[in-house]
């Protein structure tokens, strides 16, 4: 590959400046922009896909520093191909990020586009084809899709074809869509209406441990009128969604202790407490069968959704019945609430339990300990610090003795029920008001550009550390995802539907071409 010739080991953030030429007159509408960009794309599909496939060939596990540096190098080259001048900004000991800037003559507004280029670990044994060998297929693997050779395919690519590979959707696909949008606008002589910065993070899948310091250290370089995030999928209905907030998240590992050594269940059962039973009782006391969290005071800080958010929920398509069928669910939680309504509330998810063995490995013993892994999803108004205090107070009230480190034997003898709690740092939820001028403009431009109205979503069910961006930059943050909702994000056989990539290119191009005048008052809701 071309970038393999460059020295590896880039550390820090790369700042790129693209100087735009004096532009011709703007296109009249977002729909016209999308149509002209679509015409360009139909003549450059292999070019776009080949560039994405080359990027996907570079392993990008967040914990692999050398590969992360190689990815940063590759992204710098992709920007340099578009006239970039590169500059290194250090943020040790964190991994590199990439910052690109296009200065547009006459532009009064600045948009910052965010995506991450690191990815989740991938075990090749779980994949149909190797995770870092991107493979084009003529449909879904589950339907027996055939492998296609992108170099010999003739004619226009079918929208239902899929590109399989780690980070195809999360989130190198959106990066490629933005780069292709820039190519298309330049080729069609459609000028950007805004100054553009592109911030590409290399640590998102590892928890963004150094993101806060990165934002604080380079705040003056990251300033803008709005940040647009390319992470996440489109709505479950298949329509593009504009998302104005995300839930926060924090994790908790709970360890319950039993006897010092495993005991025969016949000789000691109903006498020596079983830590699995204790853990089951503990979890049942924190969450009921409808998903309501039973921790005293847990909902006191929850901010109710605005009237606009309630209206957006009523107007959004309801994928619930389709999902119940697709996922083979006998029931849903929430006492009749819709999926979107449920995502506006905090949640407690039991993400894993470990204790002794089952099946062929089961033994008739009382184990020494049992462990549960929990993630809390937080909504606006809640903070990780407050949630931790409430949970610990609840457990202590229920008679548990809470410790933070491995308890010694004297502690275990002195208390009937000992728990070890290991908290992850976590971050708060964040929401941009849906009635801000920029909030209205982003959705209005996409309504015009695309074939059907976009879905306005008050709060994404998943979590991103947007609260850190909000605190550091004090800028509106809006998510515009483009990838298919069935992309196997974080799992084996992650994929990107080709039609979603094409639509994403048009969506990003329309925003770049029309958001400037919209923010200046030329376009409303």
């Amino acid at each position: 590959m071309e970038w393999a010739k460059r020295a590896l080991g880039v550390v820090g953030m790369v700042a790129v400046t693209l100087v735009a030429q004096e532009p011709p007159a703007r296109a009249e509408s977002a729909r016209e922009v999308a149509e002209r960009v679509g015409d360009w794309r139909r003549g450059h599909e292999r070019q776009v896909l080949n560039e994405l496939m080359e990027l996907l060939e570079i392993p990008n596990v967040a914990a692999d520093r050398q590969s992360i540096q190689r990815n940063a190098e590759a992204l710098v080259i992709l920007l340099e191909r578009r006239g970039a001048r590169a500059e290194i900004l250090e943020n040790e000991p964190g991994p590199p990020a990439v910052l690109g800037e296009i200065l547009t003559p006459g532009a009064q507004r600045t948009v910052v586009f965010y995506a991450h280029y690191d990815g989740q670990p991938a075990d090749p044994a779980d994949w149909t084809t190797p995770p870092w060998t991107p493979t084009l297929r003529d449909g879904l693997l589950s339907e027996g899709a055939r492998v296609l050779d992108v170099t010999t395919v003739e004619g226009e690519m079918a929208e239902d074809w899929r590109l399989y590979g780690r980070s195809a959707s999360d989130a190198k696909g959106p990066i490629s869509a933005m780069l292709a949008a820039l190519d298309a606008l330049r080729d069609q002589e459609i000028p950007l209406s805004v100054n553009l910065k592109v911030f590409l993070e290399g640590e998102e899948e590892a928890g963004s441990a150094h993101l806060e310091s990165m934002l604080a250290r380079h705040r003056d370089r990251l300033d803008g009128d709005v940040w647009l995030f390319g992470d996440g999928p489109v709505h479950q209905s298949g329509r593009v969604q504009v998302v104005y907030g995300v839930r926060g998240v924090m994790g908790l590992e709970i360890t319950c202790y039993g006897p010092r050594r495993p005991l025969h269940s016949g000789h000691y059962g109903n006498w020596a407490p079983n830590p699995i039973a204790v853990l089951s009782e503990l979890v049942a006391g924190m969450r009921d069968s409808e998903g309501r969290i039973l921790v005293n005071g847990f909902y006191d800080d929850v901010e109710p959704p605005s009237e606009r958010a309630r209206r957006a929920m009523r107007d959004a398509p309801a994928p619930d019945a389709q999902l119940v069928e697709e996922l083979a669910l006998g029931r849903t939680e929430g006492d009749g609430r819709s999926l979107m309504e449920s995502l506006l509330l905090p949640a407690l998810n039991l993400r894993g339990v470990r204790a002794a063995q089952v099946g062929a490995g089961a033994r008739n013993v009382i184990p020494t300990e049992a462990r549960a892994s929990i993630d809390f999803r937080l909504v606006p108004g809640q903070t990780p610090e407050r949630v931790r205090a409430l949970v610990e107070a609840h457990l202590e009230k229920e008679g548990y003795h809470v410790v933070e480190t491995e308890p010694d034997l004297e502690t275990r003898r002195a208390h009937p029920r000992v728990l070890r709690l290991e908290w992850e740092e976590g971050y708060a939820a964040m929401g941009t008001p849906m009635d801000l001028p920029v909030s209205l403009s982003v959705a209005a431009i996409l309504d015009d550009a695309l074939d059907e109205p976009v879905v306005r979503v008050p709060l994404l069910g998943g979590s991103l550390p947007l609260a850190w961006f909000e605190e550091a930059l004090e800028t509106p943050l809006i998510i515009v995802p483009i990838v298919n909702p069935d992309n196997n994000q974080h799992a084996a056989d992650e994929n990107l539907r080709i039609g979603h990539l094409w639509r994403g290119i048009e969506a990003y191009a329309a925003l770049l071409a029309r958001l400037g005048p919209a923010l200046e008052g030329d376009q409303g809701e």
Side-chain angles (χ1 to χ4, degrees):
M1 280 176 279
E2 183 177 302
W3 53 73
K5 300 176 183 178
R6 295 173 59 92
L8 301 180
V10 173
V11 178
M13 179 189 300
V14 181
V16 179
T17 302
L18 300 176
V19 181
Q21 297 179 351
E22 189 67 32
R26 289 188 173 100
E28 283 76 6
S29 70
R31 176 58 61 90
E32 288 184 353
V33 172
E35 289 174 351
R36 290 169 60 181
V37 167
D39 290 340
W40 173 89
R41 181 266 302 169
R42 280 181 278 275
H44 296 80
E45 289 181 348
R46 281 149 195 79
Q47 172 187 326
V48 173
L49 202 60
N50 280 330
E51 187 172 80
L52 173 56
M53 292 176 73
E54 287 184 347
L55 187 59
L56 293 176
E57 289 176 353
I58 309 176
N60 64 335
V61 176
D64 182 352
R65 182 61 175 268
Q66 184 176 12
S67 292
I68 289 298
Q69 292 172 353
R70 289 181 59 207
N71 277 273
E73 276 277 299
L75 290 166
V76 171
I77 293 173
L78 292 178
L79 287 167
E80 288 178 336
R81 288 176 182 172
R82 292 155 174 92
R85 298 191 300 270
E87 174 187 352
I88 303 296
L89 300 178
E90 302 289 349
N91 191 51
E92 292 288 357
V98 177
L99 174 66
E101 185 175 8
I102 299 176
L103 303 176
T104 302
Q108 301 298 312
R109 303 289 184 174
T110 298
V111 170
V112 187
F113 173 78
Y114 167 96
H116 65 87
Y117 63 84
D118 64 315
Q120 285 279 329
D123 185 350
D126 297 332
W127 286 64
T128 305
T129 50
W132 289 286
T133 302
T135 306
L136 183 65
R137 293 180 178 270
D138 63 356
L140 285 166
L141 267 172
S142 59
E143 298 175 358
R146 298 175 298 113
V147 174
L148 301 173
D149 185 347
V150 68
T151 64
T152 60
V153 168
E154 297 182 358
E156 190 173 340
M157 296 186 184
E159 291 195 351
D160 282 335
W161 291 358
R162 305 233 174 180
L163 180 62
Y164 285 83
R166 174 56 84 223
S167 295
S169 278
D170 186 27
K172 289 182 177 180
I175 294 172
S176 289
M178 177 56 73
L179 294 174
L182 292 171
D183 290 340
L185 291 173
R186 176 177 294 181
D187 181 85
Q188 293 294 300
E189 297 185 333
I190 301 174
L192 274 65
S193 64
V194 293
N195 297 313
L196 174 66
K197 298 178 183 179
V198 180
F199 179 80
L200 306 176
E201 187 189 355
E203 197 181 23
E204 196 273 343
E205 298 293 5
S208 299
H210 301 92
L211 179 59
E212 283 187 282
S213 63
M214 176 81 79
L215 296 176
R217 184 171 184 178
H218 303 295
R219 185 189 187 286
D220 59 332
R221 303 294 306 277
L222 301 174
D223 191 33
D225 294 287
V226 60
W227 276 61
L228 300 179
F229 288 75
D231 208 356
V234 302
H235 191 260
Q236 290 92 341
S237 65
R239 286 164 55 182
V240 169
Q241 61 182 354
V242 178
V243 185
Y244 296 97
V246 293
R247 292 200 286 189
V249 67
M250 66 183 310
L252 171 62
E253 301 286 321
I254 302 177
T255 304
C256 295
Y257 295 91
R260 183 180 181 183
R261 65 175 185 274
L263 298 177
H264 189 287
S265 61
H267 297 324
Y268 295 97
N270 295 337
W271 182 82
N274 186 311
I276 302 176
V278 174
L279 182 64
S280 300
E281 179 184 355
L282 181 155
V283 172
M286 294 179 68
R287 180 188 189 278
D288 69 17
S289 61
E290 296 300 332
R292 181 170 179 81
I293 298 171
L294 303 176
V295 173
N296 187 43
F298 200 88
Y299 294 87
D300 290 354
D301 301 322
V302 172
E303 297 176 0
S306 67
E307 178 54 37
R308 185 175 289 274
R310 290 190 178 96
R311 187 165 71 246
M313 287 190 296
R314 292 193 297 267
D315 294 343
D320 298 52
Q322 172 190 337
L323 289 172
V324 165
E325 177 71 19
E326 177 185 331
L327 301 175
L329 298 177
R331 65 179 291 266
T332 60
E333 297 178 348
D335 198 21
R337 286 193 308 269
S338 68
L339 172 61
M340 185 171 284
E341 289 173 322
S342 295
L343 299 183
L344 296 181
L345 294 171
L348 186 163
N349 174 57
L350 192 65
R351 60 190 181 187
V353 177
R354 178 174 296 173
Q357 302 294 325
V358 298
R363 296 176 296 161
N364 295 332
V365 298
I366 300 170
T368 61
E369 65 179 46
R371 185 167 184 170
S373 184
I374 290 173
D375 69 85
F376 293 93
R377 299 290 169 163
L378 315 183
V379 297
Q382 296 182 299
T383 65
E385 297 78 15
R386 174 69 170 159
V387 166
R388 174 172 178 168
L390 290 171
V391 170
E392 292 186 355
H394 167 83
L395 294 174
E396 290 171 351
K397 183 180 178 181
E398 294 297 312
Y400 297 98
H401 179 73
V402 174
V403 297
E404 296 181 2
T405 59
E406 187 72 21
D408 57 27
L409 296 180
E410 290 305 312
T411 298
R412 292 172 60 170
R413 293 187 184 107
H415 301 279
R417 296 195 292 183
V418 177
L419 297 179
R420 180 182 179 184
L421 303 185
E422 301 170 80
W423 289 95
E424 299 172 6
E425 181 180 358
Y427 45 81
M430 172 272 162
T432 292
M434 299 178 69
D435 55 0
L436 291 180
V438 67
S439 302
L440 302 176
S441 295
V442 168
I445 289 169
L446 294 176
D447 279 342
D448 183 27
L450 303 176
D451 294 334
E452 54 188 351
V454 298
V455 181
R456 278 90 163 152
V457 178
L459 204 65
L460 190 70
S463 300
L464 290 169
L466 299 196
W468 295 344
F469 288 90
E470 183 181 44
E471 181 179 352
L473 305 173
E474 299 178 346
T475 302
L477 312 171
I478 300 174
I479 306 172
V480 184
I482 65 166
V483 305
N484 43 297
D486 59 346
N487 64 70
N488 284 7
Q489 180 178 348
H490 292 186
D493 294 328
E494 179 181 348
N495 65 87
L496 173 62
R497 183 177 175 272
I498 297 302
H500 282 75
L501 177 61
W502 299 160
R503 185 170 58 177
I505 295 170
E506 295 173 10
Y508 289 156
L511 287 171
L512 294 178
R514 296 300 303 155
L515 196 50
L519 292 176
E520 294 161 20
D522 294 344
Q523 179 174 330
E525 186 180 21

